[in-house]
Amino acid sequence: MKFKNPIEFLKSKKSLRVFIEKQTQAIENSGKALIFTVVGSIILMFAAAIAIFFTNVQGEEKVMVPDVVGKNIYTGLFELEQKELYGKIQFRDSETGGDEGKIIAQDPVEGSIVKAYRRITLTVSRGATLDNLPDYTGSNYNDTVNKIELHYAGEVPLIKIKTPIYLTSEKNAGTIIAQYPEPDTAIIDPIEVQFIVSAGNEVHQVTVPEVEGKSISQLLELMKTSKVVFDFTNTYKHEKTFKASCENAGKKLDPYSRVKAELSFKIKEDADKTTSGIFSFNLPEYPFPVPVKLDCLDSEGIETTVIDFTHPGKSITIPYEVKKGSTLSLTVNGEMLKKEVVQ
């Protein structure tokens, strides 16, 4: 752009400077307005949040605490929930039995006015201290398990319940018809309790498992889980490997029916560190299957359990493979009945 004289040139520079200053001032003014707007919005949001918080806190509904002392724990918790209250459970032994699971104290007490959603501390009885094993026969199995679990809530249980054995019975299904150990057994260390439970009068047959191709350890596991009584015999046809056979494999039989099975052990050699065979004993016949355990104490003083299962009595046969010179001991229903050193 060309100017005719210096005066016009100076005037044009002055106009440009004025224009730039005006634009800069406009930008500064709009920036301040934006900052004020953002800061004001944050302050308003913070004030609204505080207002809502205090409105909710101060506006909580107040309710009257119901009387739940003497009631079952589940009933008490339900009644508190109806009042929009929550229970905090703590357990305590009682001086008398028969009140397991009942609420014996509450805090705050009945009639107290508290805010909704507050926790109410409920003290629940776990029953009298157990020094001896109670008699659970005739009780419902599930109720008994719940009672035992409740008694040791929050503590290491001294009574551990093994998987129950169900048998056909005229008793109502789920009724405990026998227990081992016997009632009144002293509880000093943790004990395992085996319950015999009625399955009702409907007969549920079991399938005889296949034993061919099984190892000795696998046969022992089948003895524990199949509810079939194996009568093992040694065919003395010693071969390179252990063999087992059973003619009734796959058949349906009543629980704890006796099944014949033949075993053929591998050839014994002087270099072998272990020995195998059949441990046998004659027991009385029991009305219900009883706990049976075969333990092994080797020459180094290490004790292991060969098998722990239940048996209805009479002839009992147990295959084993243990270290040479070990002592096998048979315990039935808590009583040691036979010891034998195997070579």
Side-chain angles (χ1 to χ4, degrees):
M1 182 177 184
K2 295 182 179 181
F3 297 97
K4 292 180 179 180
N5 56 61
I7 295 175
E8 291 182 358
F9 175 73
L10 293 173
K11 287 182 178 179
S12 64
K13 286 187 68 176
K14 183 178 181 181
S15 299
L16 179 61
R17 187 174 66 253
V18 171
F19 175 78
I20 293 173
E21 288 176 352
K22 287 183 179 180
Q23 293 300 317
T24 302
Q25 185 65 35
I27 292 173
E28 289 178 354
N29 291 339
S30 62
K32 290 179 180 179
L34 178 61
I35 293 173
F36 285 133
T37 301
V38 172
V39 172
S41 299
I42 293 174
I43 293 173
L44 287 174
M45 291 174 61
F46 184 70
I50 292 176
I52 293 172
F53 172 78
F54 282 106
T55 298
N56 289 336
V57 170
Q58 294 175 0
E60 281 184 346
E61 179 184 357
K62 292 187 177 181
V63 297
M64 180 181 291
V65 179
D67 182 14
V68 295
V69 173
K71 297 181 180 179
N72 178 278
I73 181 175
Y74 304 108
T75 303
L77 290 173
F78 176 76
E79 291 189 9
L80 289 178
E81 187 176 344
Q82 295 295 101
K83 294 288 187 178
E84 296 183 332
L85 298 170
Y86 298 97
K88 179 182 179 182
I89 308 299
Q90 61 183 23
F91 292 93
R92 190 176 74 192
D93 293 339
S94 65
E95 296 179 358
T96 58
D99 61 352
E100 297 90 343
K102 288 186 178 180
I103 299 169
I104 55 180
Q106 68 178 73
D107 181 30
V109 297
E110 170 202 3
S112 301
I113 304 299
V114 299
K115 292 179 180 179
Y117 308 109
R118 174 172 172 171
R119 289 193 178 277
I120 308 300
T121 301
L122 303 179
T123 302
V124 179
S125 170
R126 58 160 56 100
T129 303
L130 297 180
D131 297 321
N132 297 80
L133 187 66
D135 184 0
Y136 294 113
T137 57
S139 302
N140 178 270
Y141 172 74
N142 290 330
D143 291 344
T144 299
V145 172
N146 291 335
K147 181 184 292 187
I148 293 174
E149 290 179 348
L150 178 64
H151 185 87
Y152 292 107
E155 297 182 351
V156 177
L158 290 178
I159 299 177
K160 298 180 180 180
I161 302 173
K162 300 177 71 172
T163 302
I165 297 172
Y166 290 91
L167 292 180
T168 303
S169 167
E170 295 299 324
K171 301 284 186 180
N172 292 331
T175 302
I176 298 174
I177 53 181
Q179 70 178 64
Y180 306 101
E182 300 291 337
D184 293 328
T185 299
I187 303 176
I188 301 174
D189 296 317
I191 60 174
E192 291 187 330
V193 179
Q194 178 75 72
F195 289 122
I196 310 298
V197 181
S198 171
N201 54 17
E202 183 179 352
V203 177
H204 296 277
Q205 292 189 319
V206 296
T207 302
V208 179
E210 178 62 70
V211 301
E212 187 173 351
K214 304 294 184 184
S215 64
I216 292 179
S217 60
Q218 290 172 329
L219 286 179
L220 293 172
E221 187 63 28
L222 289 178
M223 293 173 64
K224 293 172 59 176
T225 60
S226 65
K227 291 186 180 180
V228 172
V229 180
F230 289 100
D231 288 325
F232 292 107
T233 55
N234 190 347
T235 62
Y236 295 103
K237 297 177 182 178
H238 295 97
E239 302 181 21
K240 293 183 178 180
T241 58
F242 172 81
K243 290 186 177 181
S245 62
C246 176
E247 295 181 354
N248 292 320
K251 290 186 177 180
K252 293 279 189 180
L253 300 175
D254 291 341
Y256 293 96
S257 295
R258 306 189 81 94
V259 174
K260 292 183 179 181
E262 294 185 347
L263 305 181
S264 179
F265 296 92
K266 65 180 182 179
I267 299 174
K268 294 183 179 181
E269 299 179 358
D270 294 338
D272 290 341
K273 295 182 179 180
T274 62
T275 184
S276 54
I278 299 175
F279 186 97
S280 59
F281 191 70
N282 287 321
L283 299 170
E285 185 174 6
Y286 301 101
F288 307 107
V290 297
V292 173
K293 184 167 68 168
L294 183 66
D295 291 319
C296 172
L297 181 66
D298 65 21
S299 56
E300 297 177 354
I302 300 175
E303 187 173 7
T304 57
T305 297
V306 177
I307 187 172
D308 183 359
F309 69 125
T310 55
H311 196 280
K314 301 180 73 173
S315 175
I316 182 171
T317 53
I318 303 173
Y320 63 84
E321 182 175 16
V322 297
K323 291 182 179 179
K324 290 181 177 180
S326 296
T327 300
L328 298 178
S329 56
L330 180 71
T331 302
V332 180
N333 203 18
E335 181 182 1
M336 202 278 292
L337 298 181
K338 180 183 178 181
K339 279 189 176 183
E340 179 180 329
V341 179
V342 294
Q343 299 297 337

